[in-house]
Amino acid sequence: MKAFRLDELEVERAANQGAYLQFLRERNMSVGLYALDAGALDPQQPHAQDEVYFVVSGRAAITVGEETTQVARGSVVYVPAGAPHRFHHISEDLKVLVVFSPPEG
């Protein structure tokens, strides 16, 4: 078993001065914590993997392809591999768990 605490992951992510921290990588998936401050721009490009986003905290909009929806704590969004996507209109600091399958990179 591998177990993680979100508060500890956030400290590690902030210490590395990056928006994204991959904290789990296995044969069929990887998981990371992604954080964007209110008003920030999301620089993501399409990924070669399917993704699932679980919003831990914050508020924003996300556009996947041509569809846009509002997200907040508890929202879950699936993004198919290769689909253009981006968080925007981030009105509250956003923290998101990201699951990639197969693993990113």
Side-chain angles (χ1 to χ4, degrees), residues 8-101:
E8 293 171 354
L9 294 171
E10 176 54 24
V11 168
E12 184 178 349
R13 185 202 60 78
N16 289 321
Q17 300 179 348
Y20 183 72
L21 170 71
Q22 180 177 283
F23 61 89
L24 179 65
R25 184 178 181 85
E26 297 295 333
R27 184 172 49 103
N28 293 316
M29 63 181 243
S30 61
V31 184
L33 176 63
Y34 190 45
L36 294 166
D37 293 336
L41 297 177
D42 182 2
Q44 290 193 80
Q45 298 295 318
H47 303 283
Q49 304 82 5
D50 287 342
E51 294 177 81
V52 173
Y53 290 114
F54 173 74
V55 178
V56 175
S57 63
R59 292 186 178 281
I62 186 171
T63 299
V64 178
E66 300 294 319
E67 296 181 86
T68 299
T69 192
Q70 300 296 313
V71 294
R73 182 177 182 229
S75 297
V76 178
V77 177
Y78 166 70
V79 178
H85 59 285
R86 175 157 309 183
F87 290 100
H88 52 92
H89 296 94
I90 302 168
S91 59
E92 294 177 15
D93 291 353
L94 191 63
K95 288 189 178 61
V96 182
L97 287 177
V98 185
V99 178
F100 287 98
S101 181

